[in-house]
Amino acid sequence: MGKLILLDARLFVAGADLSGASNKIEVEASVEDKETTNYRSGGAVERLGGLFEAELTGAGQWEAGDPSLVDDNQWATLMSRAVAPWTLCPTDATVGALAYLTAALESEYKLLDEVGEVAPWEGSAKSSWPMPRGQIAHPPGTARTTSGSGTALQVGTVPAGKHMYAALHVLSASGTTPSLTARVESDDAVGFPSATTRATFTAATARGGQILRVAGPVTDDWWRFAWTISGTTPSFLFAAALGIA
Amino acid sequence: MDYVEVMQRLTAAAATVVSTPAQTMTPHDWVPASVECPCIYPSDARIDFDQTYGRGNDLIVATLQLLCSRADDREGQRMLNGYLRGSGAASVKAAIEADKTLAGACDSLHVAAMTGIRAYEIGKVWYVGAEWTVRIIGTGS
C-alpha cells in the first residue's frame, strides 16, 4: 500500500458502521517507556517496553434516531461502561484489507457546536486489550442469508503467549427470529480440508458487536470466519476482522 | 445528493415567497440569458466533496441571485426589501428553510447570508437584486 489520501477509511464500533458519519478516524498506539539505566549501561539510557495502550478517536457529522447512527451508538457504548469491539481500516473494508482491532472502553463523547455549524460529534475510547494489526475477514456490505464460510486468509500461526483476535460487528439483522452464530476456523491449507473451530461467538439475533481471542500456540496459518444462520427469511450484514497480537 | 435536483428544488422553494403587492417569482435552476422579473436562479456554487469517509457526505455552498425590475428604481428596491427579510411571507430565507431537506433532496440546509444588494446587468438590461448564500449538506452521490 503506497502513500494515500484518506477518503475511504472505515470505523466499526459495536454494531454500527460509523464510516459515513466520520471525517476523522485516528489510532494513537503507545508502549510505556520503562527506564532500566544502570552503572553498566555504557553512558546511555536503557529502556524496556512496558504496557501497551491505544487511544481510538472518531469524529464527524452527528446523526441520531436509529441504533445504526452515531449518536445512538456512541451514547449507548459510553453509558454501558463496558468494552466494545472497535475496528478501524485505512482503506475500505474489503476482505484482506488492513484492519486494526481491539476491545476498547468508550471514555469520551462530545456532541453539538455553535449555531450555524454542521452538528459534529467526537468520541474516543481506550484499549482494554492488545491491538492486533490484522485483516478484514468479512466485508460489511455482503448480506448473508444462509450458513457458509468466508474467504481463507493466511493470517499466520499463533505463537505461545500470543492470541488470535476476532472482532464481529453485526450491522443489521432482519427476518423472523433471525440468528447468526459466527465462528473462527483455522487450517494448515488454503482449501480448509480439515477446518478446526477455534472460537465461537454468542448467537446474534440483532445489531451488536463482540470480540474474542484464541490463545496460542496454533500451528495452523490459514484462518477464516464461518457462520450458521437460522430463522425465517433471515438476512445479516456483518463486518469481521482477524489479527494476531 | 444530486446537485441538479438540489438546485431545482432550492429555486422552486425560494419562488414560493408571497410579496406585497403579489408578484409571481420565476425560478430557474440555470443562469438565464434573459429574465422575467422577479426571478431567482443559482449564480454560483461550490461542492466540497468527501466531508466524511466513503462518500458519506458532500457540502454544497450555493449563491442564489434574485432580480427585481428596475424600471422604477424606488419601486424595484421596495419589492426587493420584502424578499430580504429573515422571516415573513416574502422572506426568501423563510421560504427556503420551510423544508430544510428540500423534500428529501438533501439532509439539511442553512440560508447563511444575504449580500450584494445592488444593480445587476443581464443582457443590456439593468435590474436591482441581491444574493443569498445557502449551505446544503447531503449524502455524496
Side-chain angles (χ1 to χ4, degrees):
Chain A
M1 183 189 304
K3 300 182 180 65
L4 76 157
I5 292 175
L6 289 170
L7 293 175
D8 293 315
R10 303 299 295 267
L11 172 62
F12 304 96
V13 177
D17 178 358
L18 303 183
S19 312
S22 301
N23 54 28
K24 176 184 173 183
I25 298 171
E26 187 176 270
V27 177
E28 186 172 337
S30 61
V31 170
E32 277 188 331
D33 167 8
K34 297 297 187 186
E35 266 201 51
T36 57
T37 311
N38 55 71
Y39 286 111
R40 305 299 293 173
S41 296
V45 174
E46 281 192 64
R47 292 188 172 88
L48 290 177
L51 295 176
F52 167 87
E53 183 179 50
E55 182 163 350
L56 320 168
T57 303
Q61 298 178 349
W62 183 91
E63 296 175 295
D66 184 275
S68 68
L69 300 179
V70 64
D71 186 66
D72 300 60
N73 170 266
Q74 289 289 286
W75 195 260
T77 308
L78 181 73
M79 290 296 124
S80 72
R81 294 177 172 82
V83 297
W86 284 59
T87 301
L88 302 90
C89 309
T91 56
D92 214 341
T94 54
V95 173
L98 179 61
Y100 298 85
L101 57 148
T102 193
L105 178 72
E106 181 101 24
S107 56
E108 189 172 327
Y109 174 52
K110 294 195 291 186
L111 62 153
L112 305 181
D113 202 326
E114 296 178 0
V115 61
E117 294 298 318
V118 175
W121 72 277
E122 182 172 339
S124 61
K126 291 188 166 60
S127 63
S128 186
W129 269 2
M131 171 175 263
R133 181 175 178 272
Q135 302 178 42
I136 290 293
H138 188 276
T142 301
R144 299 296 184 187
T145 59
T146 57
S147 303
S149 57
T151 304
L153 298 170
Q154 196 170 26
V155 185
T157 61
V158 185
K162 302 279 189 183
H163 293 77
M164 170 64 77
Y165 289 81
L168 173 67
H169 304 272
V170 179
L171 306 173
S172 77
S174 65
T176 303
T177 60
S179 178
L180 166 74
T181 304
R183 61 188 185 276
V184 178
E185 296 179 341
S186 73
D187 206 328
D188 60 3
V190 62
F192 274 72
S194 54
T196 301
T197 296
R198 296 292 177 181
T200 303
F201 291 89
T202 302
T205 58
R207 176 189 302 278
Q210 301 177 51
I211 185 167
L212 43 73
R213 57 188 175 185
V214 178
V218 177
T219 56
D220 290 341
D221 58 337
W222 287 90
W223 297 79
R224 69 182 182 187
F225 257 73
W227 54 87
T228 302
I229 290 177
S230 64
T232 304
T233 60
S235 182
F236 289 89
L237 288 174
F238 60 96
L242 292 167
I244 299 170
Chain B
M1 176 171 65
D2 179 73
Y3 169 80
V4 173
E5 182 181 38
V6 167
M7 290 301 117
Q8 288 173 343
R9 296 191 183 180
L10 193 63
T11 51
T16 61
V17 292
V18 178
S19 60
T20 303
Q23 285 196 355
T24 301
M25 176 80 67
T26 303
H28 303 286
D29 56 85
W30 68 94
V31 180
S34 62
V35 300
E36 186 174 315
C37 291
C39 68
I40 190 163
Y41 56 90
S43 62
D44 193 9
R46 171 192 169 94
I47 304 176
D48 286 326
F49 299 110
D50 304 313
Q51 296 299 290
T52 61
Y53 289 113
R55 298 292 296 119
N57 215 276
D58 291 341
L59 167 67
I60 298 174
V61 181
T63 301
L64 297 185
Q65 194 167 87
L66 186 153
L67 300 179
C68 294
S69 172
R70 204 170 177 240
D72 180 321
D73 56 359
R74 177 177 292 184
E75 180 61 23
Q77 183 65 53
R78 195 185 70 77
M79 283 296 299
L80 182 63
N81 289 344
Y83 301 131
L84 305 181
R85 293 192 172 93
S87 61
S91 165
V92 168
K93 175 178 168 68
I96 291 174
E97 292 184 346
D99 177 3
K100 291 188 173 67
T101 69
L102 298 176
C106 66
D107 287 341
S108 190
L109 60 80
H110 175 217
V111 182
M114 186 281 300
T115 59
I117 303 172
R118 60 178 176 85
Y120 293 82
E121 184 182 14
I122 304 292
K124 296 289 187 184
V125 182
W126 285 89
Y127 304 88
V128 63
E131 294 182 328
W132 282 258
T133 301
V134 186
R135 299 172 68 235
I136 307 136
I137 59 172
T139 303
S141 58

